[in-house]
Each structure stands twice: as C-alpha cells, then as structure tokens.
Amino acid sequence: MQEHVQLDQKQINKELLNGVLQMPKWWPGATAVVLVIFIVGLCAFGYMLNKGVGVTGLNRPVYWGFFMVNFVFWIGISHAGIMISAILRLTQAEWRRPVTRAAEVLTVFSLMAALMAAPLVHVGRPWRADLWVFPYDFARGVWINIRSPFIWDPSAVMTYLTASTLFVLVALLPDLAIIRDRSKGFTRVAYSVMCLGWRGTPRQWKLQAVAGILLSALVLPVFVSVHSIVSWDFAVQIGPEAWHSTIFAPYFIIGAIHSGVSAVATVMVLMVWLWGWKNYITPDHLDAIGRLLIIVATTWFFFFFLEWVFALYSLEAPELAMRDLQVFQWPWSGLFVLFLLTAFFIPVPMWLFRNLRRSLWAMFISTILVNVGMWLERFLIIIPGTMRRGHMIFDWGSYHPSLIEILMVAMTFAWVILGMLLFSKVFPLIPLFDIKEAMVGRDEIKVGRKTVPASIRE
Amino acid sequence: MAGEKWGMVIDVDKCIGCQACVVACQAENNIPINTEDLYNQRRAVQWIRIERYWEGEFPDVKARFIPVLCQHCSDAPCEPVCPVFATYHNPEGLNVQVYNRCIGTRFCANNCPYHVRFFNFWEPSWPESLKNQLNPDVTVRSRGIMEKCTFCIQRIRRSTRDAKAEGRGVEDGARELNPACVNACPTDTLFFGDLNDPDSKVARMSAEETGEHGRGYHMLEELGTEPNVLYLKKVDKNAKEASHA
Amino acid sequence: MHDGHSANGHDAASVSRGLLDRHRAAPIARRIAALTAGVLFLLGIAGFVIKLLDKGTSDPSAWGYYAALVSFLLTAAGGAVMVAIATRLAKAHWRRPISRASEMFAVVTLYTFALLIPLLFALPSLSDHRRSLWFFGELNVPGYMPHIMTTLSFFFLALAGLALLWMSALPDLASLRDSSWGLTGLFNRLSNTWQGTSRQWFVQYHRLGILGALYFMMLVTTHFLFSMDFAMALVPGWIDALFPATHAHNSLHAGAALMLVTMFVLRRFGGYGDYIGLDQFWGLGKLMFALSLLWFWFWFSSFIIFWYGAKPNEQAVLELLMVGPYLPIFMAAFILNFLVPLFTMIWNPLRKSVWGPTIIACGVLLGTFFDRVRLYAASWSVAAADDKHTLREVPAAIMPDVADVMMWVGGLAGAVLVYILAARVIPIISVWEQKELLLYRMHKPFHRLAEVLVLGKKD
C-alpha cells in the first residue's frame, strides 16, 4: 500500500531547494569531472575540424557510424520528457508529479546532445551545417530539398526542442518566484527577471495551468513525429540492407519510450541518492514507473519480433546476409546477445517482482541495462546496415570506431550530465508547486478495513 | 539541341579487367592518388572500378570482371535524400553533383545501391611532380564533400560547344565527346552516346539487346532505379553446352 | 457533476435492484430487433449458399468480400472487448457501466469463428508456392499451415474472451441465481461456487487481470496471423512489417467506435440512460479520437516507405491497395477514419456530448468496413503467380454481387442477434462493478467551494 507522507509547505521548500540554495558536497567534484570529459571531446572535435572526417573510422560503404548511432540514442532518450509530462498529465497519473521536471530537462539536454552528434560533428563540412537548415541560395532560387528526410529531421527536432524548453520554463515560473523570495542581492535580481513577475495570483495560476495543458496536447504530435522522422532517415532508403521496413517508425518510437522512461527511472534513483529526496520519490513512484516499463518493453519486443519476422519472410539474399552478420558473426553476435539480454531479458523479468520494482538498486541497475541495450539496438541496426551485405559482395564493408569518435561520443554524454548538474544548481529539479498541489488534492477513502489513496476531481 | 540523354553500354563479355579505364578516369578527373594506405582504410576513390569475382572451383576457376560506375539513374535514390540539392538530375539525363553546395551528410552515398559515391575524407594532395598534370577543366574537390562519376561532363561540354561553334552536331562516338574510360578501353567494352538519338550506337545497341534474346540488363533492376547504363551479359559458351547436354 | 455518477442510486441494494429488474424485463423493442436480425441472418445464409453453388471454393477472388466480412467482425467485435480490459487496467471509474457490454462482444467473436470455417476452404494451400510466414518449402511444414494456425489462434481468442466474460459476470450470475428468476438451472451451473468470500474476490481481481492480458495477446496474435495469411501472403511483393500491427490497431479503433454505438443504443433504446452518461461518451470519445490520430500515423508509416522507396514491387502494392482500382474506397476509409474525427473531435462541444462521438463512431465503423473491403477484396483477387517478388499485373476492382451483399447484411445481423441473445442471459451492465463504485466515491466539503468529488484508486 502507498505510504502517506503529508509534508507541510515549509518543509517542502527547505528540502527541495537544498541543491539550489546550498552547495551539495559532491557537486563541484562531479561537475569538474564531466566538464573535463566534455572539453576533451571538444578538443577531439577541433582536431577533426582541422584534419577532416578521415580521423574517424568511417569508410566506404560505412558512411554513417558512431555519430548516427548516438544521434538516434539521444533522440530516444529525449522522448522521456514528453512521455512523462504530457501523456501522464493528460491521463492524470498522480505519480508523475515529482519527476516531470527532471524528465523535461533531460529531454532538453539530450536533444542538444543529439544535435551535437548528428548535424554538427557528423557532416563533412560542419562550418556549413547551418546552410542545411537555413537555405542560402535565395538569389538563384535554390531552396532546401524538402523531399529529404534530413530536412524533416531538423524541423521536427527544433520544434521539439522549442516546445520542451517552453514546457520547462512554464513549469518553472512559480518555483523561481519562491527562490527569488529566498535570495538576496544579484541572485534576487536574476530570479526576479527569470520568473517574469510571478506573484501567484489566481489569474496567473490559471494561465499557467492552461499553458501546461495546451502544451501537453500540442506537443504530442511533435513527440510522435520526431522519432518517426528519425526512423525514416533510415527506412526510406533502399541502399543499405534491412532498413527499408515499414515497422521502423513505431519500432523506433516505442524503443525511444523504452529507453527514455528507463533513463527517467535512473535519474529518479540518482535524485534520491544525491539529494536525499526520499520523501518525494518513494518506492511507490518506482513501482509505478516499473509497471509502465513492463508494458512499454513488451510492446517494444513485439515490434522487434515483427521486424525480424518480416526480414525473414522476405527471404531476399541481402536481407538474410545482413541478419546472418548480426546474429552469427563475431563480434556482432556477441553484441546481439548482449543487446537482447540488456534491453529485455534481464530487466523485464526483474520488474515483474514487486520487491525489485520498489528497490532503488534494482531499478538503477535494470534501467541502466535498458539503456545499454537500447544503445546496442541502434548500433546493431545502423552499422551492419551500412556494411552493405548486398548483392555486390565485392564491396562489403567493415567498421571500427576510432578513438576520436569515441571521445566525441563521450562528449555528448558529458554534455547531458553537465547540463543536468548545472540546471540542478540553478533550478529545483523537483517542481515544488506540483508537489504542493498533489498534497492539497490528495485524500483517502476507507474501503472496508483498507484505506485507498484518492484524489479530488474537478 | 534539347533532349539529350547520355547513356552508356558496357559489354561485360569483352572486359578483360585491365583497369585502363580506372587509370584514365583518375587522370582525367583530378582524383587524388589512391595510396596503399587509402585502400587499407577503404577510402580509395574510384569513379569507375572493376569488380572481380571468382567463379567455379579449382582448377576450373574463372575470373569475371564487371566495370561499375555511376549508373546515372533516371529515378536515382541519391537525389531526393540530399537536404541541400547538392545532387540533382540535369536536363541531359545526368546525375550531377554540385560540389559547392555539398555539406557532406553522406546521405546520398548511403542510399546508392551501387556504392559509386565517394566521400573526401582528407584534403586531396598530389606530389609536387604531378601538380602540373591536373586537368584545368575539372574542379579539385576539397575534403568533406561527395563526388562521383560525371560521365566526364567537361568533355561533353567542350565537344558540344566546339561543335556548335563550328555549326555542326556532335559526332556519335567521337573521341572528344567520349568519357576518358571509354577512350582508354582497349577492347571496346564501353560505349557512350545519346540514348535519345535513335541513330547513335548506344541507342541501337540498347534497342537490340533489351529484346527477348538480347543480353542487356540493368544492374539491380528490381530496385526500379532505371539506370542509364546498360550491361550486356557475358556469353558463356560452357553454360550453353551444359544446357544442351 | 457528470450525470453518469450522480443519477443512479446511492446505496448498493437499490443499484442491484434497479439493474436486475431492468435485466429481467423483456422490452418488445428488443424482441423485434432480435426477430429482424434473425430474418436477415437467414438471408445471409441464403447468400452464402448462392455463392457456394455459383462459384464453389476453388476461386479465391469470389470470396474476397466474405473474407472482408470475417476480418471486419474480428476487427470491430474483437477490439470492443479491449475497451473493458484497457480501462480496467487503468482503473478508470467511468468504465464501470460499460465494461460488461464490452466483454459481451466475446460471443460475437465466437460467432466470427464459426464464419471463419467456410473461409478456410476458399484459402489456397501453400503449395501454390507463394511467399508465406511458414517458410513452406524451406522447412518441412504442411501446406495447410495458415489454415491450422489461424483456426487455433481464433479459437483461443474466442475462448479467452468467453472466459473473461464468464468470470467477470460471475458475481452477477450468482445474484441472478439467488434471486430465482427463471433459468435458475443455467445460472446455478454458471455460478456454482461463487459465494462472494474475500478470498473469491481477491482471486476475481487477479483472474480478470490475467484473462485480460491473455485476451489482448490472443487478439494481437490472431490479427497477426489473419492479416498475414489471409491478406498479405496472397499478394506477391507485399512485405509490410507494420501491417499486422496496423490491423490490430484498427481493431482497437473500431472496437472503441463499436462500443460508442453500443452505448448509445443502450442509453437511447435499452433504458440504461441513468447509468450510461456523458462521462462514458467523453472518456471513450477521447480514446477513439486518439486512436483516429494513430490511424493516420500507422497508415502513413507504411505508405511513406513504399512511396519513397519506389521499388517496383512496392509501387505495385500501392497501386493494388490504395491508388489503383480501389482508390474511391480507400479515400472513403481515409476520410471517415481520420479526417472526419480529426476535424470534428477537436471541437469541445462536440466531444463533450452524447450524440457527437456516436455519429463519428458510426463513421469510423463505416470507414473500417471500407478499409477491410479494399484490403481483402483486393488481395483475394490476385491470381496465383510464379513470381514471388513483384505483382506484375494489378487486377481490376472486384464488385460485390448480390450474394456478397446478402452475406454482408446477414453476417452483421447474425452478430447483432448473437449479442442480443447473450444480453438476455447475462446482465448487460456489470452490477458488481457499479456497486463497487459506491465504495470508492465520496463527496466532501473543500475550502470555500461547496463540495468536491473524491475518487479513490486502488493500488
């Protein structure tokens, strides 16, 4: 049964602002470490700018490698925020409240990481990558090619980034006002500006709630379109083997939700460990997210199954050659087994047990495993696909990532962690007002000898 | 003069795998030298390549050669995927690459079923002694962009311009029109010309050979890319005898 | 407050009495409906016989419309049961008055299973060397593998549905048994052991959860097998990995629509107006709206791959199923399943009404019908060919003949008849779930507002 901790407003303010108004002991060290990794990655990028894409492991025909894998991976993670905030808000799931902001912030930073991974470091001439999105040849009437999925892609990702940032900002306003009231000097001025004159009048609250609901509803189509379009980057192609499958859009979306929600669960556990917010993130919340994950993971597995069945159904030689590579040839076979274990066969059975769902350690490990598995999933789709096990066996390819590539990939990871850490120092990671709203709207009903949690409905 | 459709016919039966076309292409089109290093990195640039396949079991082994170059597909998969219109179809049926527009997403190369698009991984360089032999009619491509066979568009341009100035049409199969690979081929494997001109050699050959008993086929026909390069398959005498027996 | 909650009785006994009394009454309208459905069903049997004598079973193209009928019933009635399962899983209180009506569609699935059997004779065996899920020729499987597997899957789907219906109705059957109103023997047998002990209730909740999950898995499996073997495999070069999932999604979509129409009928003609209210239409309407948007997404995800890839085999499939001879029917399905819901359901006044979602739902059912016709009539009309890779020749559209129309009318009427008969035995509104709501609901004073509704959610 759910335990009921009724907290008063003072305590909520004090506990949830502990990362902002004070400096947690571990914070400077952790931030320094990721900052160093990030800078090393930037140096690797500079080296590549100077020398050329030759410093990566890419070759012909493996033209898309590590960067694309990580682009897809980060776009996948970014599906956490909207899944948690918008969908769970619209379906009125109470357990979303303490994790909405962390999930949205994760969305924003992982989208930026994705943009770093794909257009920025991926292209041959990064200094001209802006021309991709902002067409340059007005005078001669040359416009961007809207038939290209690479035009749909930045459009969708930018829209998603804008919407997610708005999501974060709208939900931040009341909390910023609380910090403003508790700080002095320059900090106070800064927060006053950021909270846009929030006074907490009924009108302001109403507008804030309406904005939240409207954004939730409007962002849903964007949410679906982003990863669909990312999947079409691959699926519309007829060159590489095994990509040209209609299942890709749903398969990618559900995979994104799988990895994104898992990442949120990881962040939840970290929030308890690092900031000690165990009054807010309780085993009930982990239990709920674990149950959601069982459904998501099973659906994902169904689409995975469909993808495979139809690959075999076609019985086309190139398709079979690519599958053979994925499953039977070392090191791909090892990675494939690892992928299956980590993405599905270890975590899902774990979540079936209520005790494990409610344990911080078990959830931490299982959700980290999911993201290892989902990273491998993208790797195993993209790289063997570009290795072109097609009819032209003269040109079958192979690929090893270079150190430079690995450093740049580490840079994207460092960026997301760094972003989260910096954010947590300036803004509260758990929305204070949402928690307070839950406390007000929460009630209990006695059914026979049992007490069930209840909530007030307008 | 509107309405050329440049095309090629490759008679695989005649190919002896001598690689003369590869070298000629290299020289004509300012392609950097493919060193051993580049081969090992799998980054060699060969606008035309000879694929060699071994057929049969020892001792009855046969080497089969097939020259592969850009097929200049009428329905090219590489064209729609380029976000910046760096690759497009020109009115003469050529699939052309605009180097200045290219930003190097490598999407086109990925979607090319024939693997004939090449990426410049490094800044191109030549030994000092070869600097003066670069072809002034062809751009040297910088790093970070795609390049591919152009059917030696500089030769097409110059010959049609010269012909126009002299008030005549371009002669079919003229050396100044033909791409370097066609001129270099010692066995007459490659033929180049205007497919829209019914009297040209390539048009006549494709009309003959795509009939019921013809040897003509397009590479990876099931993809529906409608290439402008027609292959004539090998005449296999042994296979015929086998079928009679 | 939403009228669904407030209009009905406030204590358990009055809820019980009200619902059971209404169940026992046999309104004349229902008899007339049953009689009409029965007559039309006979017409359908006549149509079937005409078709059989006229065309035999050797020509699949004669049976495309019949296949579409079976597929439509599987899609709509099979999916309707999911309304109860999904909302119960989400612990939504608004499901309570409609969960039984939804589960009752399991009997229609049993009826559909009966309709499937003749279709098995018309489906060619794998020995025509078409591509199949079963790797015929590669593996040592019988040529009738599709027939066997689809039959098994369909059967277990019907079985799971009936088990769910029976288990969910158990407490109500027991109260009918105890109130000794005719058919006592039957109710005795059906609800033999139910005493309503705590242990039994505990088992009941878990049983419903497990049976619901099982039903869903069987539904997905059946759609997978049916859509593969009765449509896709018949067309050379049609390789659409998403199609089975689309088929299953269409089932949820049409199921929600079917439930909306059923709710409307129960409210308007069945005399359950004070149980089924705006709350239910609003909740289910939103669900159907979301599924309509997904309809587009599923369709587009398949379409863009085929259209963009432009491989000859894919273009032939598009020609066959969408832009070719069946274009008008496809457009009708597209408009009714997606465009109409999109442009109407975003409008609050319409979404928050009883008639609005109902009319849109009728459109969705009609759209699903068109969708099934275009898919099945088209794929059954493809003649067997040696070439597995590409459909070389797109056949002309098959027009329904009189027998097809008779079979369609009779087939649908039969489903209605079966449903009415089942509703005669089992209460169409779940009495125990309705009574349970009273436990979880409370009106409380709140600050300066007069009164708020507090709803409990069991963990």
Side-chain angles (χ1 to χ4, degrees):
Chain A
M1 276 295 101
Q2 295 191 357
E3 30 187 322
H4 253 231
V5 196
Q6 198 68 32
L7 305 156
D8 64 28
Q9 303 224 352
K10 266 212 181 92
Q11 196 185 353
I12 294 177
N13 289 347
K14 185 169 157 284
E15 291 183 359
L16 291 185
L17 293 177
N18 64 358
V20 178
L21 298 179
Q22 292 123 37
M23 171 83 76
K25 273 200 288 294
W26 50 268
W27 195 89
T31 311
V33 170
V34 283
L35 192 63
V36 167
I37 300 176
F38 182 68
I39 289 171
V40 169
L42 273 185
C43 294
F45 178 46
Y47 179 69
M48 190 179 82
L49 276 184
N50 188 29
K51 293 284 176 190
V53 183
V55 298
T56 64
L58 297 170
N59 58 57
R60 187 176 68 87
V62 187
Y63 281 120
W64 287 3
F66 246 43
F67 299 143
M68 265 298 168
V69 175
N70 281 280
F71 170 71
V72 180
F73 176 77
W74 284 119
I75 295 278
I77 297 284
S78 79
H79 278 52
I82 302 306
M83 176 69 200
I84 299 283
S85 298
I87 295 183
L88 296 185
R89 185 200 290 254
L90 292 179
T91 55
Q92 299 182 329
E94 281 295 311
W95 61 267
R96 77 173 189 279
R97 291 185 189 271
V99 286
T100 46
R101 180 158 310 145
E104 289 156 12
V105 174
L106 185 64
T107 295
V108 171
F109 287 112
S110 55
L111 274 177
M112 292 177 182
L115 289 175
M116 252 181 224
L120 189 64
V121 303
H122 168 81
V123 297
R125 302 204 283 182
W127 53 93
R128 300 187 72 136
D130 56 330
L131 305 174
W132 174 348
V133 188
F134 306 104
Y136 59 98
D137 223 352
F138 296 111
R140 278 178 285 170
V142 175
W143 198 243
I144 45 171
N145 183 5
I146 54 161
R147 295 179 302 168
S148 170
F150 269 7
I151 291 303
W152 317 338
D153 223 338
S155 320
V157 173
M158 293 293 190
T159 314
Y160 192 43
L161 184 58
T162 313
S164 314
T165 313
L166 279 176
F167 233 102
V168 176
L169 290 180
V170 166
L172 260 179
L173 294 178
D175 292 358
L176 292 176
I178 294 176
I179 306 177
R180 172 196 64 196
D181 298 343
R182 275 160 192 71
S183 52
K184 289 190 274 301
F186 171 73
T187 329
R188 187 184 171 89
V189 176
Y191 281 104
S192 305
V193 173
M194 280 192 287
C195 74
L196 303 175
W198 182 269
R199 286 281 175 277
T201 62
R203 186 182 136 76
Q204 284 179 332
W205 277 115
K206 193 178 167 206
L207 286 176
Q208 200 249 7
V210 169
I213 290 172
L214 266 184
L215 274 172
S216 304
L218 291 177
V219 84
L220 275 181
V222 183
F223 164 82
V224 174
S225 74
V226 169
H227 221 59
S228 300
I229 288 172
V230 168
S231 81
W232 292 332
D233 288 348
F234 304 98
V236 297
Q237 300 189 45
I238 57 173
E241 312 314 329
W243 286 2
H244 195 59
S245 167
T246 52
I247 198 81
F248 260 45
Y251 179 46
F252 271 46
I253 290 272
I254 196 75
I257 295 174
H258 187 31
S259 66
V261 175
S262 294
V264 170
T266 315
V267 172
M268 278 162 82
V269 175
L270 286 175
M271 291 204 296
V272 176
W273 281 345
L274 297 178
W275 285 276
W277 289 326
K278 57 180 181 302
N279 283 344
Y280 306 90
I281 297 167
T282 61
D284 290 328
H285 294 101
L286 290 172
D287 194 7
I289 209 168
R291 276 182 292 182
L292 177 69
L293 276 170
I294 295 176
I295 297 175
V296 171
T298 314
T299 317
W300 169 80
F301 194 74
F302 173 61
F303 282 106
F304 169 77
F305 165 78
L306 281 183
E307 201 232 341
W308 265 87
V309 164
F310 283 87
L312 301 180
Y313 171 78
S314 76
L315 284 180
E316 305 279 3
E319 180 83 50
L320 296 183
M322 189 277 204
R323 300 292 166 174
D324 178 71
L325 172 76
Q326 269 185 341
V327 182
F328 295 115
Q329 288 178 35
W330 187 259
W332 310 99
S333 53
L335 292 175
F336 192 79
V337 171
L338 190 63
F339 145 63
L340 277 182
L341 288 178
T342 51
F344 191 80
F345 286 105
I346 294 174
V348 174
M350 278 175 80
W351 298 330
L352 290 179
F353 295 97
R354 189 161 179 275
N355 288 341
L356 291 181
R357 282 203 304 267
R358 300 174 74 87
S359 134
L360 290 176
W361 268 108
M363 283 310 274
F364 184 72
I365 292 169
S366 60
T367 51
I368 291 273
L369 282 183
V370 167
N371 272 311
V372 171
M374 291 312 288
W375 190 91
L376 283 172
E377 183 221 23
R378 279 70 176 248
F379 187 75
L380 284 166
I381 290 176
I382 294 171
I383 307 295
T386 48
M387 282 165 69
R388 312 295 279 275
R389 291 307 204 235
H391 289 291
M392 311 184 90
I393 55 176
F394 189 78
D395 259 11
W396 283 13
S398 70
Y399 172 74
H400 309 278
S402 73
L403 178 66
I404 298 292
E405 266 172 300
I406 294 170
L407 287 178
M408 270 187 274
V409 165
M411 170 179 85
T412 61
F413 280 83
W415 164 258
V416 174
I417 299 170
L418 186 65
M420 296 290 284
L421 286 176
L422 291 177
F423 186 90
S424 77
K425 191 70 201 73
V426 187
F427 308 107
L429 264 185
I430 292 186
L432 279 71
F433 80 92
D434 223 353
I435 297 289
K436 291 174 188 168
E437 192 180 83
M439 294 290 169
V440 174
R442 199 146 82 176
D443 209 328
E444 283 170 344
I445 283 185
K446 278 186 95 64
V447 179
R449 277 165 297 173
K450 277 186 177 168
T451 316
V452 257
S455 56
I456 292 171
R457 294 293 149 96
E458 298 99 74
Chain B
M1 276 305 282
E4 283 113 337
K5 190 179 179 216
W6 302 111
M8 192 177 271
V9 175
I10 299 178
D11 190 345
V12 178
D13 192 40
K14 291 187 192 161
C15 181
I16 54 171
C18 69
Q19 310 257 7
C21 51
V22 179
V23 176
C25 174
Q26 204 89 10
E28 169 76 25
N29 290 303
N30 294 345
I31 296 173
I33 292 167
N34 289 323
T35 57
E36 194 178 340
D37 252 7
L38 278 172
Y39 269 108
N40 289 337
Q41 292 170 2
R42 294 166 173 275
R43 288 166 182 166
V45 177
Q46 289 179 305
W47 287 6
I48 182 168
R49 66 172 182 268
I50 305 286
E51 294 198 354
R52 184 200 57 205
Y53 295 100
W54 295 110
E55 209 176 81
E57 292 288 323
F58 183 82
D60 289 325
V61 191
K62 288 198 177 89
R64 303 284 199 214
F65 303 104
I66 180 166
V68 179
L69 71 167
C70 174
Q71 309 283 308
H72 292 272
C73 311
S74 303
D75 201 349
C78 56
E79 285 165 12
V81 296
C82 176
V84 292
F85 273 125
T87 172
Y88 83 107
H89 221 72
N90 85 354
E92 292 165 43
L94 294 178
N95 175 274
V96 292
Q97 179 76 15
V98 185
Y99 304 126
N100 271 343
R101 260 183 225 157
C102 179
I103 56 171
T105 66
R106 309 189 284 285
F107 206 156
C108 55
N110 240 0
N111 204 19
C112 173
Y114 308 99
H115 314 183
V116 289
R117 298 185 139 266
F118 300 87
F119 184 68
N120 285 278
F121 285 94
W122 306 107
E123 196 69 43
S125 66
W126 284 266
E128 200 50 45
S129 56
L130 289 180
K131 284 266 162 78
N132 285 335
Q133 72 93 50
L134 290 183
N135 185 346
D137 290 341
V138 179
T139 324
V140 169
R141 283 79 56 188
S142 74
R143 72 184 154 94
I145 60 171
M146 300 302 305
E147 60 181 57
K148 59 174 266 296
C149 162
T150 60
F151 269 172
C152 286
I153 191 167
Q154 68 280 8
R155 299 174 69 85
I156 299 178
R157 286 282 170 275
R158 191 173 46 207
S159 54
T160 43
R161 198 178 49 225
D162 289 353
K164 204 173 172 188
E166 291 165 24
R168 59 175 169 93
V170 199
E171 188 192 336
D172 179 49
R175 276 190 80 80
E176 72 260 28
L177 171 73
N178 279 346
C181 54
V182 177
N183 285 340
C185 183
T187 58
D188 262 357
T189 296
L190 308 166
F191 301 91
F192 180 78
D194 179 8
L195 288 169
N196 274 356
D197 171 10
D199 298 328
S200 72
K201 178 124 180 151
V202 283
R204 275 183 285 126
M205 285 176 88
S206 25
E208 273 166 36
E209 297 286 7
T210 46
E212 203 170 324
H213 299 292
R215 296 188 286 137
Y217 68 95
H218 290 120
M219 199 181 256
L220 302 184
E221 204 153 16
E222 71 275 14
L223 296 178
T225 53
E226 291 168 35
N228 280 326
V229 175
L230 183 75
Y231 285 88
L232 306 184
K233 73 178 164 215
K234 190 146 186 84
V235 185
D236 197 335
K237 289 190 183 117
N238 297 340
K240 247 180 206 162
E241 284 161 19
S243 69
H244 284 302
Chain C
M1 273 323 306
H2 310 315
D3 46 359
H5 283 312
S6 46
N8 39 25
H10 276 277
D11 64 297
S14 70
V15 170
S16 252
R17 208 176 323 116
L19 279 171
L20 290 180
D21 283 350
R22 220 161 305 185
H23 176 62
R24 281 175 205 135
I28 190 82
R30 185 159 73 182
R31 289 187 191 177
I32 293 172
L35 203 64
T36 321
V39 172
L40 290 175
F41 179 58
L42 291 178
L43 186 75
I45 293 181
F48 177 75
V49 172
I50 294 173
K51 190 74 156 189
L52 194 64
L53 295 178
D54 188 25
K55 298 278 167 65
T57 56
S58 55
D59 176 18
S61 66
W63 293 95
Y65 281 88
Y66 185 74
L69 169 67
V70 174
S71 163
F72 176 76
L73 284 173
L74 168 68
T75 303
V81 180
M82 280 311 297
V83 171
I85 295 171
T87 50
R88 192 178 282 145
L89 182 75
K91 304 190 187 86
H93 287 297
W94 60 265
R95 73 156 200 282
R96 295 175 181 278
I98 60 166
S99 62
R100 179 64 45 74
S102 151
E103 286 155 350
M104 201 91 92
F105 277 101
V107 298
V108 179
T109 304
L110 184 69
Y111 160 80
T112 316
F113 176 63
L115 294 191
L116 171 76
I117 292 166
L119 192 63
L120 295 172
F121 291 93
L123 183 76
S125 98
L126 290 180
S127 50
D128 66 356
H129 294 294
R130 64 175 184 272
R131 224 194 282 256
S132 91
L133 194 58
W134 307 105
F135 305 108
F136 180 79
E138 314 278 324
L139 302 175
N140 190 16
V141 293
Y144 287 99
M145 205 64 182
H147 309 66
I148 299 166
M149 296 310 284
T150 310
T151 310
L152 282 177
S153 170
F154 224 117
F155 176 71
F156 283 110
L157 172 70
L159 205 63
L162 289 178
L164 179 70
L165 172 63
W166 181 26
M167 289 307 146
S168 134
L170 207 51
D172 293 357
L173 293 172
S175 39
L176 281 170
R177 168 196 70 192
D178 298 342
S179 67
S180 62
W181 153 79
L183 297 172
T184 324
L186 176 68
F187 290 127
N188 251 333
R189 214 163 305 147
L190 284 176
S191 62
N192 212 347
T193 55
W194 182 266
Q195 301 296 335
T197 63
S198 305
R199 167 99 200 130
Q200 280 180 331
W201 277 110
F202 177 81
V203 173
Q204 170 81 348
Y205 289 125
H206 283 79
R207 196 159 52 190
L208 290 183
I210 291 168
L211 279 172
L214 184 70
Y215 181 86
F216 182 55
M217 286 180 208
M218 283 321 296
L219 185 73
V220 171
T221 312
T222 311
H223 276 285
F224 174 63
L225 294 171
F226 192 83
S227 64
M228 272 301 302
D229 282 329
F230 285 71
M232 202 193 296
L234 298 173
V235 182
W238 184 7
I239 302 170
D240 182 349
L242 188 53
F243 185 59
T246 310
H247 213 274
H249 159 266
N250 292 352
S251 179
L252 303 181
H253 188 210
L258 182 58
M259 271 313 294
L260 276 167
V261 176
T262 312
M263 273 154 48
F264 186 82
V265 171
L266 287 177
R267 182 186 152 90
R268 182 77 182 74
F269 307 106
Y272 291 104
D274 35 355
Y275 290 92
I276 298 174
L278 197 54
D279 235 18
Q280 283 69 35
F281 283 91
W282 197 51
L284 199 53
K286 276 190 292 189
L287 200 64
M288 190 185 70
F289 179 42
L291 289 165
S292 289
L293 300 182
L294 282 178
W295 191 95
F296 173 79
W297 181 59
F298 271 96
W299 166 77
F300 190 73
S301 296
S302 279
F303 171 77
I304 186 146
I305 304 305
F306 281 12
W307 173 76
Y308 205 109
K311 283 156 75 169
N313 66 330
E314 293 170 347
Q315 286 186 319
V317 170
L318 285 186
E319 175 80 15
L320 175 72
L321 299 176
M322 280 175 212
V323 299
Y326 293 93
L327 181 65
I329 301 192
F330 168 71
M331 287 312 290
F334 187 82
I335 290 168
L336 289 169
N337 279 334
F338 170 63
L339 286 182
V340 170
L342 171 64
F343 287 110
T344 51
M345 297 290 274
I346 47 169
W347 192 39
N348 271 329
L350 188 135
R351 199 171 60 228
K352 262 193 149 172
S353 69
V354 169
W355 54 270
T358 310
I359 292 174
I360 307 304
C362 289
V364 167
L365 282 177
L366 197 62
T368 309
F369 158 72
F370 284 135
D371 200 46
R372 289 304 178 245
V373 166
R374 93 173 153 106
L375 288 170
Y376 285 84
S379 49
W380 281 65
S381 69
V382 173
D386 289 339
D387 188 353
K388 290 183 192 182
H389 298 278
T390 310
L391 176 65
R392 296 284 167 202
E393 213 172 309
V394 175
I398 301 264
M399 288 297 166
D401 57 18
V402 181
D404 283 326
V405 176
M406 282 163 77
M407 284 196 292
W408 262 93
V409 172
L412 296 180
V416 173
L417 177 65
V418 174
Y419 193 83
I420 293 178
L421 291 180
R424 189 76 195 98
V425 180
I426 301 170
I428 198 149
I429 290 200
S430 180
V431 182
W432 67 268
E433 282 188 280
Q434 203 62 33
K435 284 196 282 190
E436 198 185 41
L437 176 62
L438 298 177
L439 300 175
Y440 285 106
R441 205 175 55 165
M442 207 171 25
H443 290 274
K444 273 193 172 175
F446 182 75
H447 293 284
R448 278 164 299 171
L449 290 164
E451 207 186 38
V452 290
L453 176 71
V454 181
L455 280 175
K457 269 202 176 183
K458 200 152 60 79
D459 181 32

